[in-house]
Amino acid sequence: MTGVLQYLKSNRIRLIASLMFFSLIMVILTIKIAPPFDSKFNITCTKEYEDGLRCDFNCIFDTDILPVRMVINHRLWCSIYDKTVYNNSVDFSLPKRNYTYIMYAVANKENYFIISNGIFAC
Amino acid sequence: MGISKLFVIYLIIAVVLRLFLWAEIRYIFGTDVGRFAEISHIFYLKGQITPDLRPYNMAYGFFYFLLPILIPTALEYASIDPVITMTALVFIFSILSCIVFYFIMKQFFDERKSAHMFFFYSIAFDIILIFGIAGIYSYALSVLWFFLSIYFINKIFFDGSKSWLNLGLVLALFSVTHIYLLIPLLCYCFALITYEIVKENSIKRTLFSIKQVLKSLIFPILINIPIIFIFGNYIGLQNDPINKGLMLAVSGYRESMNIYDRLYNIFFSSYTLMSSIIFMAGLLFFIVSIYKFRGRQFVWVFYSIYLFVHNIMAFNDTNLTRVISVVWMTYAIGFGNLLIIPFLNVGLIPLLYFVPSTTVPYYINVLEQKNVINENIYPWVLWDDFYKSIDYIKQNTAKDSIFLLDSGGAGCFGSSSSYGDRIFPLTSRKPFYFTDYCWAVWDYADYEKRVDIYRGISINPNNFTILQELKTYNVTHVFIGPYDVGLNYGLFDNSSYYEEVYNDRGFAIFEIK
C-alpha cells in the first residue's frame, strides 16, 4: 500500500487541483454535448373499440407544448406508426395482434424536450 | 517491442475462439449493419458518393461517418455483399484491437502482466466484438482507432517521441469512422496531463507533448474537407430537435433511475443489454489491484475518474451511454494484474462458457444452444433461413420489384422486425418505404402517407381502397418474417388479393395480384 500512499501524499494539492479542474471540464463538456431534458408528461390512452382486426384508441397528451411527435413500436426499433400530432388528443387504430405496444412521444421547444412513454395492449 | 511466448499462446486462443464464433454467426445483420449496408449499396448502384439516396430510398439528404460505408461499397466491386464485408470487418478489427490493447498495456506493465491483460480483454471485454456482433457496427470499428490513438499519445508523452504523424493518420481515420470515443480519448489525455502534473515533470516537456498532439489534428481536418464539401448541408442533423428528441424517447426512462441503478448501469451493464458478474469482478479486481500500481500506471485511475464523471453526466444520452464500454479496459487490467497463472486463466474458458455474460465462450454457448439473448439484437439463428428467402427473391422476382416489408419507419426507430430491409442491399429490390437511419431528411408528408397505407394494410390486407393506393407505388410483393409486427401472415394467407409464392421456416413472400 505504501506506493499508493506515497503517490497520494506527494503533491496532493496538485493532484486534487488537477482532478477537480479536469472533472469540471468533463462536466461542462458533457452537459454541452448532451443537455439533460427537462420534463416528462403523461399519456392517457383509452381503448374505444376492438374487433378481430383492430383496436381503436384515443390518447391524450398532458402537455401544452405542441406539436408532439409520436412513434408506436411493438419491439424495440420497429416502428409501426409514426405521426406528428398538432393537438393534445389523437385517435388512431392499430392491428389486433395481442401485442403490448409502446408509444414514444416527444415534443420540443427550442432545446426544451419533454418526453413520455405509454404502454397499451391490443 | 518484443513479444513473449505467453502472448503468442493467448493470441492463438483469441484467434481460434473468434474463428469459431464467426463460423457460428456467419452474418451479422443487426441494427446499424442494415442501415449502412443500404447506403453502401446505393452508392454502388449510383456509382457515386452522394447524400441523395433517391430513388432507392426516400432520403434526399443524410450525413454519417463515411468510412464504414465506403469500405463495403468498394468491396461490392469485387462482388462481396456489404453484409459480409461488415461482418468480416468486425472480426478483423476485433483481433487487431486486442493486439493494440496488448501493446498499450506494455507501455505500463511488464511483459507477462500485459499478456494476461490481453487475454482477459480478448476473452471477456472486447468492445469491438461485443458491440459489433450486436450490429452496432461503426461505433465498434472506431474502437481500433481509439486504441491506436492512445498508443501513439503514450509514445509522445512517455518517450518524447515525435509520433504526431502516426497519431494524425489514426485520428483522420477515427474522424471518418465514428467520433463518440473522442470523448474518452479526451479523458485519457486529461489523465496523462494529470499524471505529468503530479509527477512534477517539467512544464516544458508536457507542453511539448500537448503541442505534438495538437499538431496531429491537421490530418482529421484535411480528410474532412471533401466530406464537408459533399455533405455540408446535412452535417449536424443529429442535433435536429426531431432526431435528438427521438433518441431521448428511447433513453428517457433512464432519467427516472435512482443513483444505485445508475451506478449499476455504468459499471456493470453493457449497452447491448447484458450485465454480468464478470463486469462486477472486473471493477472489484481493478480497485484491488490499484494498491500494486506504481508511477505511470496511475494514469488508468485518473482515466477511470474522468470517464466516470462523463458517464454519469451523459446518462440520458442514448449514444453517449455507449462510452461506458471503454471503462472495461480497466477491468481487463484488474483481471490481468491479479490472475497471473496462465493455465488457470485458460482453464476459465470452459467456465465462462456457462456464465451469462458478454464473453466469447458464452456467445458460443448461446449460438450452439440456438438461444436468443434478445431477439432484436441477436437474432443469429435466423440467417440461414433468411438467406434462402434472399436466394428466392434473386432468382424469381423481377429486378424492379418493390416489397412491402413488415414494419418500418423513419429515423432511429425504423427497422424491420425480421430484417426484411436487408433485401435491398442483398438483392437490389426496393422496399416500399424505409429511411431507417437517424440522420436523414426526407419528404415527411409522403412518408406519413406511406405509413398510413402500411398501417391500413396491416389492419386489414383485404381493404381494397388501401390496396389500390399501395399499388400506385408499384408495390409487387409482401415480405413477412418470423418476427412479424404489423403484417399478420394469417390475414394475407386468407386473402384472395395475394398469392403466396414462398414459405419456408417462418419467411413468407406474397405476390400482390
CSV table of all heavy atoms in Angstrom, one decimal, chain B residues 460-463 467 489-500 510-511 513:
chain,number,residue,atom,x,y,z
B,460,ASN,N,-56.0,-4.5,-42.1
B,460,ASN,CA,-56.9,-5.4,-43.0
B,460,ASN,C,-56.3,-5.4,-44.4
B,460,ASN,O,-56.5,-4.5,-45.2
B,460,ASN,CB,-58.3,-4.8,-43.0
B,460,ASN,CG,-59.2,-5.6,-43.8
B,460,ASN,OD1,-58.8,-6.7,-44.3
B,460,ASN,ND2,-60.4,-5.1,-44.0
B,461,PRO,N,-55.6,-6.5,-44.8
B,461,PRO,CA,-55.0,-6.6,-46.1
B,461,PRO,C,-56.0,-6.7,-47.2
B,461,PRO,O,-55.7,-6.5,-48.4
B,461,PRO,CB,-54.2,-7.9,-46.0
B,461,PRO,CG,-54.1,-8.3,-44.6
B,461,PRO,CD,-55.2,-7.6,-43.9
B,462,ASN,N,-57.3,-6.9,-46.8
B,462,ASN,CA,-58.4,-7.0,-47.8
B,462,ASN,C,-59.0,-5.7,-48.1
B,462,ASN,O,-60.0,-5.6,-48.9
B,462,ASN,CB,-59.4,-8.0,-47.3
B,462,ASN,CG,-59.0,-9.4,-47.5
B,462,ASN,OD1,-58.5,-9.8,-48.5
B,462,ASN,ND2,-59.3,-10.3,-46.5
B,463,ASN,N,-58.5,-4.6,-47.5
B,463,ASN,CA,-59.1,-3.3,-47.7
B,463,ASN,C,-58.7,-2.9,-49.1
B,463,ASN,O,-57.6,-2.5,-49.4
B,463,ASN,CB,-58.6,-2.3,-46.7
B,463,ASN,CG,-59.2,-1.0,-46.8
B,463,ASN,OD1,-59.5,-0.5,-47.8
B,463,ASN,ND2,-59.5,-0.4,-45.6
B,467,LEU,N,-55.4,-1.0,-50.7
B,467,LEU,CA,-54.6,-1.9,-51.6
B,467,LEU,C,-54.3,-1.2,-52.9
B,467,LEU,O,-53.2,-1.2,-53.5
B,467,LEU,CB,-55.2,-3.2,-51.8
B,467,LEU,CG,-54.4,-4.2,-52.7
B,467,LEU,CD1,-53.1,-4.6,-52.0
B,467,LEU,CD2,-55.2,-5.5,-52.9
B,489,TYR,N,-49.3,-12.8,-41.0
B,489,TYR,CA,-49.2,-13.9,-42.1
B,489,TYR,C,-50.6,-14.4,-42.4
B,489,TYR,O,-51.0,-14.6,-43.5
B,489,TYR,CB,-48.3,-15.0,-41.7
B,489,TYR,CG,-48.3,-16.2,-42.6
B,489,TYR,CD1,-47.7,-16.1,-43.8
B,489,TYR,CD2,-49.1,-17.3,-42.3
B,489,TYR,CE1,-47.8,-17.2,-44.7
B,489,TYR,CE2,-49.2,-18.4,-43.1
B,489,TYR,CZ,-48.5,-18.3,-44.3
B,489,TYR,OH,-48.6,-19.4,-45.2
B,490,GLY,N,-51.4,-14.8,-41.3
B,490,GLY,CA,-52.7,-15.4,-41.5
B,490,GLY,C,-53.6,-14.6,-42.3
B,490,GLY,O,-54.3,-15.1,-43.2
B,491,LEU,N,-53.6,-13.3,-42.1
B,491,LEU,CA,-54.6,-12.4,-42.8
B,491,LEU,C,-54.2,-12.4,-44.3
B,491,LEU,O,-55.1,-12.4,-45.2
B,491,LEU,CB,-54.5,-11.0,-42.3
B,491,LEU,CG,-55.0,-10.8,-40.8
B,491,LEU,CD1,-54.9,-9.4,-40.4
B,491,LEU,CD2,-56.5,-11.3,-40.7
B,492,PHE,N,-52.9,-12.4,-44.7
B,492,PHE,CA,-52.5,-12.4,-46.1
B,492,PHE,C,-52.8,-13.7,-46.7
B,492,PHE,O,-53.2,-13.8,-47.9
B,492,PHE,CB,-51.0,-12.0,-46.2
B,492,PHE,CG,-50.8,-10.6,-46.0
B,492,PHE,CD1,-50.6,-10.0,-44.7
B,492,PHE,CD2,-50.7,-9.7,-47.1
B,492,PHE,CE1,-50.4,-8.7,-44.5
B,492,PHE,CE2,-50.5,-8.3,-46.9
B,492,PHE,CZ,-50.3,-7.8,-45.6
B,493,ASP,N,-52.6,-14.8,-45.9
B,493,ASP,CA,-52.8,-16.1,-46.4
B,493,ASP,C,-54.2,-16.4,-46.8
B,493,ASP,O,-54.5,-17.1,-47.8
B,493,ASP,CB,-52.3,-17.1,-45.3
B,493,ASP,CG,-52.2,-18.5,-45.9
B,493,ASP,OD1,-51.8,-18.7,-47.1
B,493,ASP,OD2,-52.5,-19.5,-45.2
B,494,ASN,N,-55.1,-15.8,-46.0
B,494,ASN,CA,-56.6,-16.0,-46.3
B,494,ASN,C,-57.1,-15.0,-47.3
B,494,ASN,O,-58.3,-15.1,-47.6
B,494,ASN,CB,-57.3,-15.8,-45.0
B,494,ASN,CG,-57.0,-17.0,-44.0
B,494,ASN,OD1,-56.7,-18.1,-44.4
B,494,ASN,ND2,-57.1,-16.7,-42.7
B,495,SER,N,-56.3,-14.1,-47.8
B,495,SER,CA,-56.9,-13.1,-48.7
B,495,SER,C,-56.7,-13.5,-50.2
B,495,SER,O,-55.7,-14.2,-50.5
B,495,SER,CB,-56.1,-11.8,-48.5
B,495,SER,OG,-56.4,-10.9,-49.5
B,496,SER,N,-57.7,-13.2,-51.0
B,496,SER,CA,-57.6,-13.5,-52.4
B,496,SER,C,-56.8,-12.5,-53.2
B,496,SER,O,-56.6,-12.7,-54.4
B,496,SER,CB,-59.0,-13.7,-53.0
B,496,SER,OG,-59.7,-12.5,-52.7
B,497,TYR,N,-56.4,-11.4,-52.5
B,497,TYR,CA,-55.6,-10.4,-53.3
B,497,TYR,C,-54.1,-10.7,-53.3
B,497,TYR,O,-53.4,-10.0,-54.0
B,497,TYR,CB,-55.8,-9.0,-52.6
B,497,TYR,CG,-57.2,-8.5,-52.7
B,497,TYR,CD1,-57.9,-8.1,-51.5
B,497,TYR,CD2,-57.9,-8.4,-53.9
B,497,TYR,CE1,-59.2,-7.6,-51.6
B,497,TYR,CE2,-59.2,-7.9,-53.9
B,497,TYR,CZ,-59.8,-7.5,-52.8
B,497,TYR,OH,-61.1,-7.0,-52.8
B,498,TYR,N,-53.7,-11.7,-52.6
B,498,TYR,CA,-52.3,-12.0,-52.5
B,498,TYR,C,-52.1,-13.5,-52.8
B,498,TYR,O,-52.8,-14.4,-52.4
B,498,TYR,CB,-51.7,-11.7,-51.1
B,498,TYR,CG,-52.1,-10.3,-50.6
B,498,TYR,CD1,-53.3,-10.1,-50.0
B,498,TYR,CD2,-51.2,-9.3,-50.8
B,498,TYR,CE1,-53.7,-8.8,-49.6
B,498,TYR,CE2,-51.6,-8.0,-50.4
B,498,TYR,CZ,-52.8,-7.8,-49.8
B,498,TYR,OH,-53.1,-6.5,-49.4
B,499,GLU,N,-51.0,-13.8,-53.5
B,499,GLU,CA,-50.7,-15.2,-53.8
B,499,GLU,C,-49.3,-15.5,-53.1
B,499,GLU,O,-48.3,-14.9,-53.4
B,499,GLU,CB,-50.6,-15.5,-55.3
B,499,GLU,CG,-50.3,-16.9,-55.6
B,499,GLU,CD,-50.0,-17.2,-57.1
B,499,GLU,OE1,-50.2,-16.2,-57.9
B,499,GLU,OE2,-49.6,-18.3,-57.4
B,500,GLU,N,-49.4,-16.5,-52.3
B,500,GLU,CA,-48.1,-16.9,-51.6
B,500,GLU,C,-47.2,-17.6,-52.6
B,500,GLU,O,-47.6,-18.6,-53.2
B,500,GLU,CB,-48.5,-17.9,-50.4
B,500,GLU,CG,-47.2,-18.1,-49.6
B,500,GLU,CD,-47.6,-19.0,-48.4
B,500,GLU,OE1,-47.7,-20.3,-48.6
B,500,GLU,OE2,-47.7,-18.5,-47.3
B,510,PHE,N,-45.4,-12.9,-50.5
B,510,PHE,CA,-46.7,-12.9,-51.3
B,510,PHE,C,-46.5,-12.0,-52.5
B,510,PHE,O,-45.9,-11.0,-52.4
B,510,PHE,CB,-47.8,-12.4,-50.4
B,510,PHE,CG,-48.2,-13.3,-49.2
B,510,PHE,CD1,-47.6,-13.1,-48.0
B,510,PHE,CD2,-49.2,-14.2,-49.4
B,510,PHE,CE1,-47.9,-14.0,-46.9
B,510,PHE,CE2,-49.5,-15.1,-48.3
B,510,PHE,CZ,-48.9,-14.9,-47.1
B,511,GLU,N,-47.1,-12.5,-53.6
B,511,GLU,CA,-47.2,-11.6,-54.7
B,511,GLU,C,-48.5,-10.9,-54.7
B,511,GLU,O,-49.6,-11.6,-54.5
B,511,GLU,CB,-47.0,-12.4,-56.0
B,511,GLU,CG,-46.6,-11.6,-57.2
B,511,GLU,CD,-46.2,-12.4,-58.4
B,511,GLU,OE1,-45.6,-13.5,-58.2
B,511,GLU,OE2,-46.6,-12.0,-59.5
B,513,LYS,N,-51.7,-9.6,-56.4
B,513,LYS,CA,-52.4,-9.9,-57.7
B,513,LYS,C,-52.8,-8.7,-58.4
B,513,LYS,O,-53.2,-7.7,-57.7
B,513,LYS,CB,-53.6,-10.8,-57.4
B,513,LYS,CG,-53.2,-12.2,-57.0
B,513,LYS,CD,-54.4,-13.1,-56.8
B,513,LYS,CE,-54.1,-14.5,-56.3
B,513,LYS,NZ,-55.3,-15.2,-55.9
